[in-house]
Amino acid sequence: MNKKLNQIIGVILILMTVFSLIGCGSSNTADNNESKEQTVLEKIQEKGVIVVGTSPDYPPFETIDEKGNIVGFDIDLANEIAAKLGVDLELKQMSFETIVTAVQSGQVDVGISGFSVTEERKENVDMSEPYLVGGQVVVTTTDSGIESVEDLNGEKVTAGMGSTCEQAANKIEGAEVVSLDDFNMGFIMVKNGTAKAVVADVSVAKDYVANDSSYTIIGEPLSYEETAVITKKGNDDLTKAINEAINEIKESGKIDEFKKAWGVE
């Protein structure tokens, strides 16, 4: 009887050991799987596509050509960044003020749409190394009677909603700022007299003036700013890869070719 009992106990002990080892093996497998979780950059490269949010109402940075294609300085830059990452580019058109939210939610991988580097913006998203340096200026028409920024006291001034143009416009003493989700509409309002001026990036302003002699730039730039790519906070691998791509594009002289092609300073 005792012998049989001892045999039973021995079998039980062996089974307990086996189950214990199986349990440890499962735990190790789970840990290994967890440690192999893909980074954002790896997911993009595996998919073979980087999705970029942009608002094509800001020529020469991003606009829609006569064939309905989104083109511009930023688009050429985005294509070059995608090539450096070894993936294709997919553009998602959206209003400027929604791009940050789209990046935060993962609806798009990055935002490239003339984003100026600001402390407020850096609280919500990460920003790449700057790829451009510029500023904001005031544009009016040659027959508007506006000769200086001071003349805009009490007048309507338009700017893109959620942009640094809007911030600069709000600093014009006494101006009534009209914020628009379509930046081009600001120039139309100035042209038809429903607004006296529009605040725009210097390259955008010069593009409009070059294509329509009824527009003119007045005064000195209202601000100095740097332009960068925005990424979701915590996507450090992607931001690092974009920084490396931007530096390579600068060093190769490619970015100067884009500037010359689009009249960007």
Side-chain angles (χ1 to χ4, degrees), residues 40-83:
V40 173
L41 177 60
E42 288 171 340
K43 289 177 182 177
I44 289 171
Q45 290 175 326
E46 181 179 68
K47 186 173 59 173
V49 176
I50 186 168
V51 183
V52 175
T54 193
S55 178
D57 59 351
Y58 204 54
F61 293 100
E62 40 270 326
T63 189
I64 298 176
D65 67 12
E66 63 279 0
K67 296 180 180 178
N69 300 314
I70 301 176
V71 297
F73 172 88
D74 278 343
I75 309 308
D76 283 356
L77 178 70
N79 271 300
E80 194 68 15
I81 289 173

Side-chain angles (χ1 to χ4, degrees), residues 88-109:
D88 294 329
L89 175 69
E90 179 183 334
L91 295 173
K92 275 196 177 295
Q93 181 178 342
M94 53 187 65
S95 59
F96 182 81
E97 70 272 14
T98 64
I99 299 176
V100 168
T101 303
V103 169
Q104 290 174 319
S105 66
Q107 183 182 349
V108 297
D109 297 315

